Amino acid sequence: MVQHQFTMDLTWVEGRNGTGNIKASNLQTEISIPQEMNGPGIGTNPDEMLLGAAATCYLITLAALLERSEIEVQQLSMQAHGFVSVENGVFTYEKIVHNPTIVVQALSEQLAKRVERLAQKAEQTCMISKALKGNVMIECDVQILEASI
């Protein structure tokens, strides 16, 4: 078994409405509670970082699956949305929705079905999606387009 370890150093100043910093090998930024949750809104926050982790893992997994299936992708982009609810002062990360747009040459019905299957498989096999399973609902709404000549 191979095990990978990732390390992050964090600092925090003051109480709930304070700010902090995070630093990892390829990430360094300020952190705080977002303004939507009555915080200072400085830097990023756990909600954005969870969304970012889920979205980047999904997008990289999708790109790999499309490549392994020898589907020539002209463009791959995505928007992701995270939904957090508040009930009786308790915040719950309920849902993440991935909205990838996949542009291919010579789009056919058969190719569209293959791409759609791979887009759904990426959500099921992504490491972060699997870690969140049972706690955060993850949906995938794929748009498949034909490249214009």
Side-chain angles (χ1 to χ4, degrees), residues 1-97:
M1 174 176 81
V2 176
Q3 187 177 47
H4 302 279
Q5 178 178 325
F6 299 92
T7 302
M8 183 176 283
D9 296 314
L10 302 96
T11 60
W12 189 262
V13 179
E14 306 209 1
R16 180 194 184 281
N17 286 325
T19 60
N21 286 285
I22 58 173
K23 183 178 180 182
S25 62
N26 292 304
L27 173 67
Q28 183 173 344
T29 189
E30 289 183 285
I31 57 172
S32 73
I33 294 174
Q35 286 182 329
E36 297 88 348
M37 297 176 179
N38 299 317
I42 296 171
T44 191
N45 57 70
D47 308 283
E48 287 178 341
M49 291 182 64
L50 181 62
L51 179 61
T56 55
C57 184
Y58 171 81
L59 192 61
I60 292 167
T61 302
L62 176 57
L65 289 174
L66 291 165
E67 180 182 277
R68 280 189 220 127
S69 297
E70 298 180 355
I71 295 173
E72 190 176 328
V73 175
Q74 300 299 306
Q75 183 181 351
L76 178 58
S77 60
M78 189 172 93
Q79 189 171 62
H81 306 276
F83 298 88
V84 176
S85 66
V86 184
E87 188 173 328
N88 298 324
V90 176
F91 294 89
T92 302
Y93 214 117
E94 288 190 350
K95 179 170 69 169
I96 292 173
V97 179

